[in-house]
C-alpha cells in the first residue's frame, strides 16, 4: 500500500490538488524530521529508503521501476509540477542496466504490437514472419543481457506492469512466428522444404550429441526445426514430430538463456528428436 501511495504522489498521474493532499497525508503519517527540506525532497528520500528496505531480494542490483524513479523531484511544496531533471543512475553500470532493461522492454512491446497488427490483417504474412523472426532473435539477446540469472522475463513483465499477453505467448511459449500451411505444393518447393527439415534434424541431434546444453545454443536449433516442420504441406494436425518438437520448444522457451539442461534432459531430448526423425522419414515413404 505504501508503494502505491508513493507512486500516486510522485508520478504525474493525478492532479496537483490530489498530489498536494497525498503529500500532506504521507508527511503527517510518517514520523520524520522535516527541518530544512521541502516536502518533495523528504518524499524522495523516504521513497528511496523505503524501496531499498522493502524490495524483493530478487531485485538486488536492479533499479526501481522507471516511472517511480524518474519523477521523484517533480512535485513542489505548493503542489505544482517542476520540470527538474532527475538522474536515474549514479554510475555507468547503473546506466547500462537501464539501457538493457529498456531494450528488453521495447522488444516485448514491439512484439505485442506486431501480433496485434497481424491479427487485424494490417500487415502481410511475409512482413509479419520477417519481423517476428527478428524480434524473437533480439529477445533472446536482450533477455540474456538485461536479466542474466537474477530474474525471469515473466517477473520482469509483472514488475514493470506490462500487459502483453500476445508477446508472452509468442516469445515465452511458442518461440516461432505463427505459421500457415504453404499453398505452394509444387514438387520443387516441397523438395526444398523436406531437404531443409532433414538438415535441421541432423544438425540439432548432432548438437545434443556434442554436449551442447545451454538454452541459448539449443533453442534456436529447435525453433528452426519447428519452423521447418510447420511449413511442410499436407501434414496432419496431430503429426507426431510436430508435437514432440513443440513440447521441447516450449520447455526451452520457459527457461532463461543462461540456463542449461541436465544430462537426463539431454538424453530425453535426443531420444525424442531421434524418434521424431524416424516418424518423419516413415511419413515421407508413405507419401511417395
Amino acid at each position: 500500500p505504501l508503494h502505491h501511495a508513493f507512486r500516486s504522489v510522485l508520478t504525474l498521474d493525478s492532479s496537483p490538488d490530489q498530489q498536494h493532499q497525498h503529500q500532506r497525508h504521507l508527511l503527517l503519517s510518517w514520523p520524520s524530521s522535516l527541518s530544512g527540506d521541502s516536502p518533495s525532497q523528504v518524499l524522495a528520500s523516504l521513497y528511496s529508503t523505503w524501496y531499498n528496505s522493502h524490495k524483493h531480494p530478487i531485485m538486488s542490483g536492479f533499479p526501481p521501476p522507471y516511472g517511480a524513479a524518474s519523477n521523484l523531484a517533480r512535485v513542489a511544496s505548493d503542489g505544482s509540477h517542476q520540470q527538474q531533471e532527475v538522474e536515474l543512475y549514479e554510475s555507468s553500470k547503473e546506466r547500462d542496466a537501464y539501457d538493457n532493461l529498456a531494450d528488453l522492454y521495447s522488444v516485448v512491446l514491439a512484439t505485442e504490437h506486431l501480433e496485434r497488427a497481424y491479427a487485424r490483417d494490417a500487415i502481410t504474412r511475409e512482413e509479419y514472419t520477417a519481423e517476428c523472426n527478428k524480434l524473437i532473435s533480439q529477445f533472446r539477446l536482450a533477455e540474456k543481457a538485461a536479466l542474466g540469472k537474477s530474474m525471469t522475463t515473466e517477473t520482469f513483465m509483472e514488475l514493470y506492469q506490462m500487459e502483453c499477453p500476445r508477446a508472452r505467448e509468442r516469445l515465452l511459449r511458442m518461440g516461432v512466428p505463427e505459421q500457415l500451411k504453404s499453398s505452394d505444393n509444387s514438387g520443387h518447393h516441397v523438395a526444398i522444404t523436406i531437404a531443409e527439415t532433414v538438415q535441421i534434424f541432423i544438425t540439432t541431434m548432432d548438437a545434443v550429441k556434442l554436449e551442447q546444453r545451454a538454452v541459448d545454443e539449443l533453442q534456436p536449433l529447435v525453433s528452426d526445426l519447428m519452423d521447418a516442420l510447420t511449413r511442410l504441406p499436407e501434414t496432419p494436425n496431430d503429426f507426431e514430430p510436430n508435437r514432440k518438437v513443440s513440447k521441447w520448444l516450449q520447455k526451452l522457451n520457459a527457461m532463461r538463456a543462461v540456463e542449461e539442461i541436465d544430462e537426463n534432459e539431454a538424453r530425453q531430448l535426443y531420444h525424442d528428436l531421434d524418434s521424431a526423425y524416424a516418424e518423419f522419414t516413415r511419413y515421407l515413404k508413405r507419401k511417395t
Side-chain angles (χ1 to χ4, degrees):
L2 276 174
H3 174 72
H4 293 296
F6 276 122
R7 290 290 296 274
S8 68
V9 176
L10 300 174
T11 61
L12 303 180
D13 296 335
S14 55
S15 66
D17 291 340
Q18 290 174 326
Q19 289 186 351
H20 187 57
Q21 292 175 2
H22 286 311
Q23 275 188 6
R24 294 185 70 257
H25 174 72
L26 279 175
L27 293 176
L28 292 173
S29 61
W30 192 298
S32 175
S33 173
L34 307 182
S35 58
D37 290 332
S38 68
S40 60
Q41 290 173 323
V42 175
L43 283 172
S45 177
L46 287 177
Y47 181 80
S48 178
T49 302
W50 174 85
Y51 179 85
N52 289 327
S53 62
H54 288 78
K55 65 183 179 181
H56 194 277
I58 199 172
M59 285 301 295
S60 298
F62 281 85
Y66 180 87
S70 60
N71 294 312
L72 290 179
R74 292 191 178 183
V75 183
S77 58
D78 60 354
S80 63
H81 300 312
Q82 293 181 340
Q83 297 301 320
Q84 177 181 352
E85 183 177 356
V86 178
E87 290 292 338
L88 294 174
Y89 48 82
E90 297 179 355
S91 65
S92 58
K93 183 178 180 180
E94 289 185 5
R95 181 185 62 189
D96 290 341
Y98 267 121
D99 288 342
N100 291 333
L101 291 172
D103 290 340
L104 180 59
Y105 188 99
S106 63
V107 169
V108 174
L109 198 60
T111 304
E112 178 72 13
H113 285 290
L114 179 68
E115 293 291 324
R116 290 181 182 181
Y118 184 58
R120 296 168 181 169
D121 202 23
I123 56 176
T124 65
R125 176 186 172 188
E126 290 74 19
E127 291 172 331
Y128 165 77
T129 302
E131 291 301 320
C132 191
N133 278 323
K134 183 172 70 173
L135 286 170
I136 290 171
S137 176
Q138 291 173 335
F139 169 71
R140 290 298 165 194
L141 296 174
E143 180 188 44
K144 186 175 182 179
L147 306 183
K149 297 182 179 180
S150 302
M151 64 191 301
T152 65
T153 302
E154 289 191 344
T155 305
F156 168 82
M157 293 176 68
E158 291 174 2
L159 176 69
Y160 289 92
Q161 303 175 19
M162 300 187 70
E163 297 296 332
C164 301
R166 299 172 182 81
R168 187 190 299 268
E169 175 75 8
R170 185 63 53 205
L171 298 174
L172 301 182
R173 184 172 179 271
M174 300 303 296
V176 293
E178 188 70 25
Q179 293 290 342
L180 298 175
K181 294 293 184 182
S182 174
S183 58
D184 185 359
N185 293 333
S186 64
H188 178 69
H189 172 80
V190 173
I192 292 176
T193 306
I194 290 173
E196 289 178 351
T197 306
V198 171
Q199 180 184 7
I200 300 171
F201 255 122
I202 295 173
T203 301
T204 307
M205 288 191 289
D206 285 346
V208 179
K209 250 184 190 179
L210 294 173
E211 299 185 352
Q212 293 186 15
R213 301 291 183 261
V215 171
D216 59 352
E217 294 175 335
L218 294 174
Q219 193 275 342
L221 297 174
V222 178
S223 176
D224 289 343
L225 180 56
M226 188 74 242
D227 178 64
L229 285 169
T230 54
R231 284 189 286 110
L232 285 170
E234 298 181 0
T235 54
N237 293 330
D238 59 346
F239 195 38
E240 187 65 12
N242 287 22
R243 186 189 67 80
K244 290 185 176 180
V245 174
S246 177
K247 179 189 71 174
W248 275 102
L249 181 59
Q250 292 179 24
K251 179 179 178 64
L252 293 172
N253 285 336
M255 301 171 67
R256 295 191 295 272
V258 295
E259 293 180 333
E260 295 184 354
I261 61 174
D262 59 31
E263 289 304 315
N264 291 333
E265 290 173 324
R267 188 171 181 176
Q268 185 64 48
L269 172 58
Y270 186 85
H271 172 75
D272 289 345
L273 289 173
D274 188 54
S275 61
Y277 181 63
E279 176 61 30
F280 175 70
T281 55
R282 284 194 293 268
Y283 168 78
L284 293 180
K285 290 177 181 179
R286 290 195 300 268
K287 295 293 290 183
T288 56

